[in-house]
Amino acid sequence: MSRLPFRLCGLLPHGSALRTALLAFLLAVLPSAAVCAASTESSGKELPLQQLIDEAPPGGTLKLAAGTYRGPAVVTKPLRIEGAGGVRIVNETDRPALEIRTDRMTLTGLSIRDTGAKASAAVLLSGSDSTLEDLRIETVSSGIHLRDASGNTIRRTNVGWAGPDVKMTEKGNGIDLYASHDNVIVGNTVTGMHDAIYIENSNGVRVDANQVDESRYGIHFMYVNDSSIRGNVGARNITGAMVMAVKGVKVTGNTFAKQSENVNSQGLLLFDASDSVFTDNRLEGNRVGIYVEQAQKNVLERNRVTVNYVGLQLKESENNRFQGNDFQGNVIPAEATDSRNNDVKGNYWDSFQGIDLDEDGFSDMPYAINPFFQKMTKTTPPFQLFFQSPGMAFLEGMLTSSKQAWTTDRAPAMKPYAADTYRPPAGSETAGTLAISLLLLGSAVTTIFVTGVRRK
């Protein structure tokens, strides 16, 4: 088909009503193969971005040449906006750099620097069936907001904080969804935000293969059902992944390491979670590997929990299944209080020496998780200095009341499941720690002896 009609469009002034009307007519009457010819290519002369968007035909492609473009801009028609490389959008206002109020929108290959403080985000999407990809967003507010927006994809996008060094509470979230269902967030990198990826009141969401670092929560689910967190990596957050008030969620194949600089740091945190699955995750070098509170009817299997201060912390949780997990190199393997009817079986605890008489690979002796240390340090935090000391072990052995209520692995694994097992370094116990441990042991024995003498 002849390109003459489109050449005529090119002769008409930018922004003229006649040019816009002619492009709309051509798109309505020509076959889809010709629609590609209706793409608008900018000149890169720093025209306001809104003008270029207004001139682009619905369903067409706006190709931005290398250069700097000024926001803010609003998109109200289906459109593909793509950068050919070196495209930079700057926005210094209290409005989003790009606000998308339409369905079937594609935004790709753009760098956005948003320096206007605002409650909203650099990119705000309220439509469906759209794609945001290959973006680089620097912001002093939030990166991307989806509001009542379903069926969208955010992928291969980088979001980072561009403002001064402020408190984490003063930052916005990297990728933030509210009341937005069936969205896919895959292959993105978010660094230095409040929550890297925050999902609230949204169902059917997939969060896959993202890198989330140096934020409060790497991934945060609140009031989310039937969604998944898979293959993500997070480091140096306060908490790697926080799932709260969720149901039917799958958290699998993630790695969360080095969440340890805050007293409330965890690799994986479950609070009020139910009917969900947490499998094949790696929690390493965190203050607490897995923290579970007020959670029920969940499955935790094949997780590798290594070199954390506390491997597993269980509180007020019941009817969960813990099986086939590896606990190695943790200072405190596990703590459990006020938790009943949990199915704990076949986990490997490197600090436990079992006996396997029938040689089935599982100990014939159970491993009971003593809550003594957790209760003592809760009332007297300085006692944490005496972890794993002979004196503390002695007291734990003496005080075994209500043992029938302790959380117990009824058949611990004799060998770790992971091939690359953790081995503590030789001579890791210092002379100072040993001396303090012996002192605590002596004090405990003296106290028991004196108390016993006075009772006579």
Side-chain angles (χ1 to χ4, degrees), residues 288-321:
V288 178
I290 302 177
Y291 180 90
V292 183
E293 183 174 354
Q294 297 182 25
Q296 56 184 331
K297 299 180 181 179
N298 300 290
V299 174
L300 292 93
E301 293 182 341
R302 301 186 306 278
N303 299 291
R304 189 179 180 209
V305 187
T306 60
V307 206
N308 305 281
Y309 178 67
V310 180
L312 170 66
Q313 203 163 50
L314 192 62
K315 183 178 180 181
E316 299 175 8
S317 298
E318 54 186 32
N319 298 316
N320 300 287
R321 187 167 83 233

PDB file of all heavy atoms in Angstrom, residues 288-321:
ATOM      1  N   VAL A 288      17.604 -13.805  62.013  1.00  0.00           N
ATOM      2  CA  VAL A 288      16.715 -14.971  62.131  1.00  0.00           C
ATOM      3  C   VAL A 288      16.473 -15.493  60.725  1.00  0.00           C
ATOM      4  O   VAL A 288      16.100 -14.728  59.840  1.00  0.00           O
ATOM      5  CB  VAL A 288      15.374 -14.603  62.803  1.00  0.00           C
ATOM      6  CG1 VAL A 288      14.455 -15.826  62.872  1.00  0.00           C
ATOM      7  CG2 VAL A 288      15.598 -14.039  64.202  1.00  0.00           C
ATOM      8  N   GLY A 289      16.696 -16.778  60.527  1.00  0.00           N
ATOM      9  CA  GLY A 289      16.488 -17.345  59.195  1.00  0.00           C
ATOM     10  C   GLY A 289      15.024 -17.325  58.803  1.00  0.00           C
ATOM     11  O   GLY A 289      14.627 -16.685  57.824  1.00  0.00           O
ATOM     12  N   ILE A 290      14.189 -18.039  59.579  1.00  0.00           N
ATOM     13  CA  ILE A 290      12.745 -18.084  59.334  1.00  0.00           C
ATOM     14  C   ILE A 290      12.024 -17.732  60.625  1.00  0.00           C
ATOM     15  O   ILE A 290      12.234 -18.376  61.663  1.00  0.00           O
ATOM     16  CB  ILE A 290      12.289 -19.474  58.858  1.00  0.00           C
ATOM     17  CG1 ILE A 290      13.032 -19.886  57.581  1.00  0.00           C
ATOM     18  CG2 ILE A 290      10.783 -19.489  58.618  1.00  0.00           C
ATOM     19  CD1 ILE A 290      12.688 -21.290  57.101  1.00  0.00           C
ATOM     20  N   TYR A 291      11.176 -16.717  60.574  1.00  0.00           N
ATOM     21  CA  TYR A 291      10.384 -16.315  61.736  1.00  0.00           C
ATOM     22  C   TYR A 291       8.910 -16.571  61.420  1.00  0.00           C
ATOM     23  O   TYR A 291       8.389 -16.104  60.394  1.00  0.00           O
ATOM     24  CB  TYR A 291      10.605 -14.836  62.041  1.00  0.00           C
ATOM     25  CG  TYR A 291       9.829 -14.327  63.240  1.00  0.00           C
ATOM     26  CD1 TYR A 291      10.384 -14.384  64.515  1.00  0.00           C
ATOM     27  CD2 TYR A 291       8.551 -13.807  63.107  1.00  0.00           C
ATOM     28  CE1 TYR A 291       9.685 -13.926  65.623  1.00  0.00           C
ATOM     29  CE2 TYR A 291       7.840 -13.346  64.199  1.00  0.00           C
ATOM     30  CZ  TYR A 291       8.403 -13.409  65.459  1.00  0.00           C
ATOM     31  OH  TYR A 291       7.709 -12.957  66.552  1.00  0.00           O
ATOM     32  N   VAL A 292       8.241 -17.310  62.310  1.00  0.00           N
ATOM     33  CA  VAL A 292       6.853 -17.707  62.079  1.00  0.00           C
ATOM     34  C   VAL A 292       6.025 -17.322  63.295  1.00  0.00           C
ATOM     35  O   VAL A 292       6.290 -17.785  64.410  1.00  0.00           O
ATOM     36  CB  VAL A 292       6.742 -19.224  61.832  1.00  0.00           C
ATOM     37  CG1 VAL A 292       5.299 -19.612  61.514  1.00  0.00           C
ATOM     38  CG2 VAL A 292       7.679 -19.661  60.709  1.00  0.00           C
ATOM     39  N   GLU A 293       5.021 -16.471  63.108  1.00  0.00           N
ATOM     40  CA  GLU A 293       4.168 -16.048  64.212  1.00  0.00           C
ATOM     41  C   GLU A 293       2.700 -16.039  63.787  1.00  0.00           C
ATOM     42  O   GLU A 293       2.352 -15.538  62.713  1.00  0.00           O
ATOM     43  CB  GLU A 293       4.573 -14.661  64.721  1.00  0.00           C
ATOM     44  CG  GLU A 293       3.769 -14.195  65.922  1.00  0.00           C
ATOM     45  CD  GLU A 293       4.261 -12.885  66.519  1.00  0.00           C
ATOM     46  OE1 GLU A 293       5.317 -12.386  66.071  1.00  0.00           O
ATOM     47  OE2 GLU A 293       3.599 -12.361  67.432  1.00  0.00           O
ATOM     48  N   GLN A 294       1.853 -16.601  64.648  1.00  0.00           N
ATOM     49  CA  GLN A 294       0.412 -16.644  64.421  1.00  0.00           C
ATOM     50  C   GLN A 294       0.080 -17.178  63.031  1.00  0.00           C
ATOM     51  O   GLN A 294      -0.783 -16.646  62.323  1.00  0.00           O
ATOM     52  CB  GLN A 294      -0.195 -15.255  64.625  1.00  0.00           C
ATOM     53  CG  GLN A 294      -0.053 -14.731  66.045  1.00  0.00           C
ATOM     54  CD  GLN A 294      -0.693 -13.369  66.250  1.00  0.00           C
ATOM     55  OE1 GLN A 294      -1.618 -12.994  65.528  1.00  0.00           O
ATOM     56  NE2 GLN A 294      -0.203 -12.630  67.219  1.00  0.00           N
ATOM     57  N   ALA A 295       0.809 -18.209  62.649  1.00  0.00           N
ATOM     58  CA  ALA A 295       0.622 -18.806  61.326  1.00  0.00           C
ATOM     59  C   ALA A 295       0.110 -20.229  61.494  1.00  0.00           C
ATOM     60  O   ALA A 295       0.453 -20.919  62.457  1.00  0.00           O
ATOM     61  CB  ALA A 295       1.933 -18.805  60.555  1.00  0.00           C
ATOM     62  N   GLN A 296      -0.697 -20.676  60.539  1.00  0.00           N
ATOM     63  CA  GLN A 296      -1.261 -22.017  60.657  1.00  0.00           C
ATOM     64  C   GLN A 296      -1.518 -22.629  59.280  1.00  0.00           C
ATOM     65  O   GLN A 296      -1.715 -21.939  58.287  1.00  0.00           O
ATOM     66  CB  GLN A 296      -2.563 -21.977  61.449  1.00  0.00           C
ATOM     67  CG  GLN A 296      -3.621 -21.027  60.900  1.00  0.00           C
ATOM     68  CD  GLN A 296      -4.851 -20.958  61.785  1.00  0.00           C
ATOM     69  OE1 GLN A 296      -5.184 -21.918  62.475  1.00  0.00           O
ATOM     70  NE2 GLN A 296      -5.528 -19.817  61.778  1.00  0.00           N
ATOM     71  N   LYS A 297      -1.417 -23.969  59.271  1.00  0.00           N
ATOM     72  CA  LYS A 297      -1.720 -24.772  58.082  1.00  0.00           C
ATOM     73  C   LYS A 297      -0.802 -24.433  56.903  1.00  0.00           C
ATOM     74  O   LYS A 297      -1.231 -24.440  55.747  1.00  0.00           O
ATOM     75  CB  LYS A 297      -3.183 -24.612  57.677  1.00  0.00           C
ATOM     76  CG  LYS A 297      -4.174 -25.062  58.740  1.00  0.00           C
ATOM     77  CD  LYS A 297      -5.616 -24.876  58.273  1.00  0.00           C
ATOM     78  CE  LYS A 297      -6.595 -25.302  59.356  1.00  0.00           C
ATOM     79  NZ  LYS A 297      -8.016 -25.104  58.932  1.00  0.00           N
ATOM     80  N   ASN A 298       0.455 -24.135  57.210  1.00  0.00           N
ATOM     81  CA  ASN A 298       1.431 -23.880  56.161  1.00  0.00           C
ATOM     82  C   ASN A 298       2.384 -25.063  56.030  1.00  0.00           C
ATOM     83  O   ASN A 298       2.535 -25.868  56.948  1.00  0.00           O
ATOM     84  CB  ASN A 298       2.236 -22.613  56.484  1.00  0.00           C
ATOM     85  CG  ASN A 298       1.348 -21.392  56.608  1.00  0.00           C
ATOM     86  OD1 ASN A 298       0.798 -20.907  55.628  1.00  0.00           O
ATOM     87  ND2 ASN A 298       1.206 -20.884  57.826  1.00  0.00           N
ATOM     88  N   VAL A 299       3.042 -25.156  54.891  1.00  0.00           N
ATOM     89  CA  VAL A 299       4.037 -26.188  54.640  1.00  0.00           C
ATOM     90  C   VAL A 299       5.395 -25.519  54.456  1.00  0.00           C
ATOM     91  O   VAL A 299       5.544 -24.637  53.601  1.00  0.00           O
ATOM     92  CB  VAL A 299       3.679 -27.015  53.387  1.00  0.00           C
ATOM     93  CG1 VAL A 299       4.804 -27.986  53.046  1.00  0.00           C
ATOM     94  CG2 VAL A 299       2.365 -27.769  53.598  1.00  0.00           C
ATOM     95  N   LEU A 300       6.383 -25.938  55.247  1.00  0.00           N
ATOM     96  CA  LEU A 300       7.760 -25.448  55.105  1.00  0.00           C
ATOM     97  C   LEU A 300       8.659 -26.659  54.897  1.00  0.00           C
ATOM     98  O   LEU A 300       8.896 -27.438  55.828  1.00  0.00           O
ATOM     99  CB  LEU A 300       8.198 -24.664  56.338  1.00  0.00           C
ATOM    100  CG  LEU A 300       7.474 -23.308  56.546  1.00  0.00           C
ATOM    101  CD1 LEU A 300       6.266 -23.483  57.454  1.00  0.00           C
ATOM    102  CD2 LEU A 300       8.428 -22.265  57.119  1.00  0.00           C
ATOM    103  N   GLU A 301       9.149 -26.831  53.688  1.00  0.00           N
ATOM    104  CA  GLU A 301       9.921 -28.019  53.328  1.00  0.00           C
ATOM    105  C   GLU A 301      11.134 -27.642  52.474  1.00  0.00           C
ATOM    106  O   GLU A 301      11.096 -26.714  51.679  1.00  0.00           O
ATOM    107  CB  GLU A 301       9.058 -29.010  52.544  1.00  0.00           C
ATOM    108  CG  GLU A 301       7.945 -29.640  53.356  1.00  0.00           C
ATOM    109  CD  GLU A 301       7.138 -30.654  52.568  1.00  0.00           C
ATOM    110  OE1 GLU A 301       7.191 -30.619  51.314  1.00  0.00           O
ATOM    111  OE2 GLU A 301       6.452 -31.475  53.188  1.00  0.00           O
ATOM    112  N   ARG A 302      12.209 -28.418  52.686  1.00  0.00           N
ATOM    113  CA  ARG A 302      13.420 -28.352  51.864  1.00  0.00           C
ATOM    114  C   ARG A 302      14.060 -26.951  51.851  1.00  0.00           C
ATOM    115  O   ARG A 302      14.724 -26.577  50.894  1.00  0.00           O
ATOM    116  CB  ARG A 302      13.143 -28.815  50.428  1.00  0.00           C
ATOM    117  CG  ARG A 302      12.621 -30.237  50.327  1.00  0.00           C
ATOM    118  CD  ARG A 302      12.505 -30.670  48.874  1.00  0.00           C
ATOM    119  NE  ARG A 302      11.724 -29.766  48.082  1.00  0.00           N
ATOM    120  CZ  ARG A 302      10.393 -29.770  48.021  1.00  0.00           C
ATOM    121  NH1 ARG A 302       9.695 -30.663  48.713  1.00  0.00           N
ATOM    122  NH2 ARG A 302       9.749 -28.922  47.257  1.00  0.00           N
ATOM    123  N   ASN A 303      13.877 -26.205  52.907  1.00  0.00           N
ATOM    124  CA  ASN A 303      14.555 -24.913  53.015  1.00  0.00           C
ATOM    125  C   ASN A 303      15.934 -25.113  53.634  1.00  0.00           C
ATOM    126  O   ASN A 303      16.118 -25.942  54.526  1.00  0.00           O
ATOM    127  CB  ASN A 303      13.726 -23.962  53.871  1.00  0.00           C
ATOM    128  CG  ASN A 303      12.367 -23.698  53.265  1.00  0.00           C
ATOM    129  OD1 ASN A 303      12.252 -23.054  52.231  1.00  0.00           O
ATOM    130  ND2 ASN A 303      11.315 -24.214  53.897  1.00  0.00           N
ATOM    131  N   ARG A 304      16.909 -24.374  53.154  1.00  0.00           N
ATOM    132  CA  ARG A 304      18.261 -24.456  53.700  1.00  0.00           C
ATOM    133  C   ARG A 304      18.506 -23.223  54.545  1.00  0.00           C
ATOM    134  O   ARG A 304      18.527 -22.094  54.031  1.00  0.00           O
ATOM    135  CB  ARG A 304      19.299 -24.560  52.594  1.00  0.00           C
ATOM    136  CG  ARG A 304      20.663 -24.862  53.189  1.00  0.00           C
ATOM    137  CD  ARG A 304      21.731 -24.998  52.136  1.00  0.00           C
ATOM    138  NE  ARG A 304      23.009 -25.286  52.779  1.00  0.00           N
ATOM    139  CZ  ARG A 304      24.176 -24.946  52.292  1.00  0.00           C
ATOM    140  NH1 ARG A 304      24.237 -24.295  51.154  1.00  0.00           N
ATOM    141  NH2 ARG A 304      25.284 -25.245  52.924  1.00  0.00           N
ATOM    142  N   VAL A 305      18.686 -23.431  55.845  1.00  0.00           N
ATOM    143  CA  VAL A 305      18.781 -22.343  56.809  1.00  0.00           C
ATOM    144  C   VAL A 305      20.158 -22.427  57.458  1.00  0.00           C
ATOM    145  O   VAL A 305      20.400 -23.278  58.324  1.00  0.00           O
ATOM    146  CB  VAL A 305      17.656 -22.454  57.853  1.00  0.00           C
ATOM    147  CG1 VAL A 305      17.639 -21.238  58.758  1.00  0.00           C
ATOM    148  CG2 VAL A 305      16.300 -22.629  57.170  1.00  0.00           C
ATOM    149  N   THR A 306      21.085 -21.562  57.060  1.00  0.00           N
ATOM    150  CA  THR A 306      22.481 -21.704  57.474  1.00  0.00           C
ATOM    151  C   THR A 306      23.086 -20.399  57.968  1.00  0.00           C
ATOM    152  O   THR A 306      22.793 -19.319  57.460  1.00  0.00           O
ATOM    153  CB  THR A 306      23.353 -22.221  56.308  1.00  0.00           C
ATOM    154  OG1 THR A 306      23.288 -21.284  55.224  1.00  0.00           O
ATOM    155  CG2 THR A 306      22.872 -23.567  55.809  1.00  0.00           C
ATOM    156  N   VAL A 307      23.932 -20.526  58.969  1.00  0.00           N
ATOM    157  CA  VAL A 307      24.772 -19.448  59.487  1.00  0.00           C
ATOM    158  C   VAL A 307      23.954 -18.215  59.887  1.00  0.00           C
ATOM    159  O   VAL A 307      24.374 -17.078  59.676  1.00  0.00           O
ATOM    160  CB  VAL A 307      25.882 -19.058  58.485  1.00  0.00           C
ATOM    161  CG1 VAL A 307      27.081 -18.442  59.211  1.00  0.00           C
ATOM    162  CG2 VAL A 307      26.362 -20.243  57.685  1.00  0.00           C
ATOM    163  N   ASN A 308      22.775 -18.434  60.439  1.00  0.00           N
ATOM    164  CA  ASN A 308      21.981 -17.355  61.006  1.00  0.00           C
ATOM    165  C   ASN A 308      22.205 -17.327  62.522  1.00  0.00           C
ATOM    166  O   ASN A 308      22.678 -18.299  63.107  1.00  0.00           O
ATOM    167  CB  ASN A 308      20.498 -17.580  60.715  1.00  0.00           C
ATOM    168  CG  ASN A 308      20.217 -17.747  59.230  1.00  0.00           C
ATOM    169  OD1 ASN A 308      20.154 -16.777  58.487  1.00  0.00           O
ATOM    170  ND2 ASN A 308      20.057 -18.988  58.784  1.00  0.00           N
ATOM    171  N   TYR A 309      21.853 -16.231  63.163  1.00  0.00           N
ATOM    172  CA  TYR A 309      21.930 -16.210  64.622  1.00  0.00           C
ATOM    173  C   TYR A 309      20.900 -17.192  65.188  1.00  0.00           C
ATOM    174  O   TYR A 309      21.228 -18.047  66.006  1.00  0.00           O
ATOM    175  CB  TYR A 309      21.707 -14.803  65.160  1.00  0.00           C
ATOM    176  CG  TYR A 309      21.739 -14.744  66.669  1.00  0.00           C
ATOM    177  CD1 TYR A 309      22.926 -15.002  67.357  1.00  0.00           C
ATOM    178  CD2 TYR A 309      20.600 -14.454  67.396  1.00  0.00           C
ATOM    179  CE1 TYR A 309      22.961 -14.962  68.741  1.00  0.00           C
ATOM    180  CE2 TYR A 309      20.628 -14.413  68.784  1.00  0.00           C
ATOM    181  CZ  TYR A 309      21.807 -14.672  69.449  1.00  0.00           C
ATOM    182  OH  TYR A 309      21.837 -14.642  70.828  1.00  0.00           O
ATOM    183  N   VAL A 310      19.654 -17.089  64.732  1.00  0.00           N
ATOM    184  CA  VAL A 310      18.614 -18.059  65.077  1.00  0.00           C
ATOM    185  C   VAL A 310      18.123 -18.681  63.780  1.00  0.00           C
ATOM    186  O   VAL A 310      17.749 -17.965  62.845  1.00  0.00           O
ATOM    187  CB  VAL A 310      17.434 -17.392  65.821  1.00  0.00           C
ATOM    188  CG1 VAL A 310      16.373 -18.429  66.162  1.00  0.00           C
ATOM    189  CG2 VAL A 310      17.914 -16.699  67.091  1.00  0.00           C
ATOM    190  N   GLY A 311      18.115 -20.005  63.709  1.00  0.00           N
ATOM    191  CA  GLY A 311      17.662 -20.662  62.485  1.00  0.00           C
ATOM    192  C   GLY A 311      16.171 -20.522  62.276  1.00  0.00           C
ATOM    193  O   GLY A 311      15.711 -19.978  61.268  1.00  0.00           O
ATOM    194  N   LEU A 312      15.386 -20.991  63.257  1.00  0.00           N
ATOM    195  CA  LEU A 312      13.920 -20.967  63.173  1.00  0.00           C
ATOM    196  C   LEU A 312      13.373 -20.402  64.467  1.00  0.00           C
ATOM    197  O   LEU A 312      13.757 -20.815  65.563  1.00  0.00           O
ATOM    198  CB  LEU A 312      13.383 -22.387  62.967  1.00  0.00           C
ATOM    199  CG  LEU A 312      11.867 -22.573  63.098  1.00  0.00           C
ATOM    200  CD1 LEU A 312      11.125 -21.844  61.983  1.00  0.00           C
ATOM    201  CD2 LEU A 312      11.502 -24.061  63.108  1.00  0.00           C
ATOM    202  N   GLN A 313      12.473 -19.440  64.345  1.00  0.00           N
ATOM    203  CA  GLN A 313      11.792 -18.885  65.513  1.00  0.00           C
ATOM    204  C   GLN A 313      10.290 -19.055  65.308  1.00  0.00           C
ATOM    205  O   GLN A 313       9.722 -18.542  64.344  1.00  0.00           O
ATOM    206  CB  GLN A 313      12.159 -17.411  65.698  1.00  0.00           C
ATOM    207  CG  GLN A 313      11.969 -16.901  67.110  1.00  0.00           C
ATOM    208  CD  GLN A 313      12.724 -15.609  67.334  1.00  0.00           C
ATOM    209  OE1 GLN A 313      12.612 -14.660  66.549  1.00  0.00           O
ATOM    210  NE2 GLN A 313      13.490 -15.524  68.415  1.00  0.00           N
ATOM    211  N   LEU A 314       9.682 -19.791  66.219  1.00  0.00           N
ATOM    212  CA  LEU A 314       8.271 -20.169  66.088  1.00  0.00           C
ATOM    213  C   LEU A 314       7.509 -19.635  67.292  1.00  0.00           C
ATOM    214  O   LEU A 314       7.900 -19.879  68.441  1.00  0.00           O
ATOM    215  CB  LEU A 314       8.172 -21.693  66.017  1.00  0.00           C
ATOM    216  CG  LEU A 314       6.858 -22.331  65.605  1.00  0.00           C
ATOM    217  CD1 LEU A 314       6.462 -21.928  64.197  1.00  0.00           C
ATOM    218  CD2 LEU A 314       6.986 -23.860  65.694  1.00  0.00           C
ATOM    219  N   LYS A 315       6.423 -18.919  67.028  1.00  0.00           N
ATOM    220  CA  LYS A 315       5.681 -18.296  68.117  1.00  0.00           C
ATOM    221  C   LYS A 315       4.185 -18.316  67.808  1.00  0.00           C
ATOM    222  O   LYS A 315       3.748 -17.889  66.738  1.00  0.00           O
ATOM    223  CB  LYS A 315       6.155 -16.855  68.314  1.00  0.00           C
ATOM    224  CG  LYS A 315       5.501 -16.123  69.475  1.00  0.00           C
ATOM    225  CD  LYS A 315       6.068 -14.720  69.614  1.00  0.00           C
ATOM    226  CE  LYS A 315       5.414 -13.971  70.766  1.00  0.00           C
ATOM    227  NZ  LYS A 315       5.952 -12.581  70.897  1.00  0.00           N
ATOM    228  N   GLU A 316       3.412 -18.861  68.742  1.00  0.00           N
ATOM    229  CA  GLU A 316       1.944 -18.846  68.651  1.00  0.00           C
ATOM    230  C   GLU A 316       1.457 -19.344  67.300  1.00  0.00           C
ATOM    231  O   GLU A 316       0.583 -18.743  66.674  1.00  0.00           O
ATOM    232  CB  GLU A 316       1.419 -17.432  68.925  1.00  0.00           C
ATOM    233  CG  GLU A 316       1.755 -16.907  70.305  1.00  0.00           C
ATOM    234  CD  GLU A 316       1.335 -15.461  70.507  1.00  0.00           C
ATOM    235  OE1 GLU A 316       0.650 -14.915  69.619  1.00  0.00           O
ATOM    236  OE2 GLU A 316       1.699 -14.885  71.540  1.00  0.00           O
ATOM    237  N   SER A 317       2.041 -20.434  66.849  1.00  0.00           N
ATOM    238  CA  SER A 317       1.680 -20.994  65.538  1.00  0.00           C
ATOM    239  C   SER A 317       1.369 -22.468  65.688  1.00  0.00           C
ATOM    240  O   SER A 317       1.999 -23.180  66.483  1.00  0.00           O
ATOM    241  CB  SER A 317       2.835 -20.800  64.546  1.00  0.00           C
ATOM    242  OG  SER A 317       3.090 -19.422  64.345  1.00  0.00           O
ATOM    243  N   GLU A 318       0.415 -22.940  64.910  1.00  0.00           N
ATOM    244  CA  GLU A 318       0.015 -24.337  65.042  1.00  0.00           C
ATOM    245  C   GLU A 318      -0.456 -24.915  63.717  1.00  0.00           C
ATOM    246  O   GLU A 318      -0.786 -24.198  62.771  1.00  0.00           O
ATOM    247  CB  GLU A 318      -1.083 -24.488  66.101  1.00  0.00           C
ATOM    248  CG  GLU A 318      -2.293 -23.606  65.892  1.00  0.00           C
ATOM    249  CD  GLU A 318      -3.278 -23.687  67.054  1.00  0.00           C
ATOM    250  OE1 GLU A 318      -2.843 -23.883  68.205  1.00  0.00           O
ATOM    251  OE2 GLU A 318      -4.493 -23.550  66.790  1.00  0.00           O
ATOM    252  N   ASN A 319      -0.408 -26.262  63.683  1.00  0.00           N
ATOM    253  CA  ASN A 319      -0.871 -27.031  62.511  1.00  0.00           C
ATOM    254  C   ASN A 319      -0.077 -26.715  61.242  1.00  0.00           C
ATOM    255  O   ASN A 319      -0.617 -26.749  60.139  1.00  0.00           O
ATOM    256  CB  ASN A 319      -2.372 -26.809  62.272  1.00  0.00           C
ATOM    257  CG  ASN A 319      -3.217 -27.281  63.443  1.00  0.00           C
ATOM    258  OD1 ASN A 319      -2.988 -28.354  63.985  1.00  0.00           O
ATOM    259  ND2 ASN A 319      -4.175 -26.460  63.849  1.00  0.00           N
ATOM    260  N   ASN A 320       1.201 -26.402  61.417  1.00  0.00           N
ATOM    261  CA  ASN A 320       2.092 -26.227  60.273  1.00  0.00           C
ATOM    262  C   ASN A 320       2.947 -27.481  60.105  1.00  0.00           C
ATOM    263  O   ASN A 320       3.150 -28.242  61.047  1.00  0.00           O
ATOM    264  CB  ASN A 320       3.003 -25.017  60.497  1.00  0.00           C
ATOM    265  CG  ASN A 320       2.220 -23.734  60.681  1.00  0.00           C
ATOM    266  OD1 ASN A 320       1.663 -23.199  59.728  1.00  0.00           O
ATOM    267  ND2 ASN A 320       2.163 -23.234  61.909  1.00  0.00           N
ATOM    268  N   ARG A 321       3.466 -27.694  58.904  1.00  0.00           N
ATOM    269  CA  ARG A 321       4.319 -28.844  58.637  1.00  0.00           C
ATOM    270  C   ARG A 321       5.732 -28.380  58.317  1.00  0.00           C
ATOM    271  O   ARG A 321       5.949 -27.627  57.375  1.00  0.00           O
ATOM    272  CB  ARG A 321       3.762 -29.682  57.493  1.00  0.00           C
ATOM    273  CG  ARG A 321       4.540 -30.992  57.298  1.00  0.00           C
ATOM    274  CD  ARG A 321       3.822 -31.965  56.383  1.00  0.00           C
ATOM    275  NE  ARG A 321       4.053 -31.691  54.979  1.00  0.00           N
ATOM    276  CZ  ARG A 321       3.094 -31.541  54.071  1.00  0.00           C
ATOM    277  NH1 ARG A 321       1.826 -31.596  54.440  1.00  0.00           N
ATOM    278  NH2 ARG A 321       3.392 -31.302  52.804  1.00  0.00           N
TER     279      ARG A 321
END
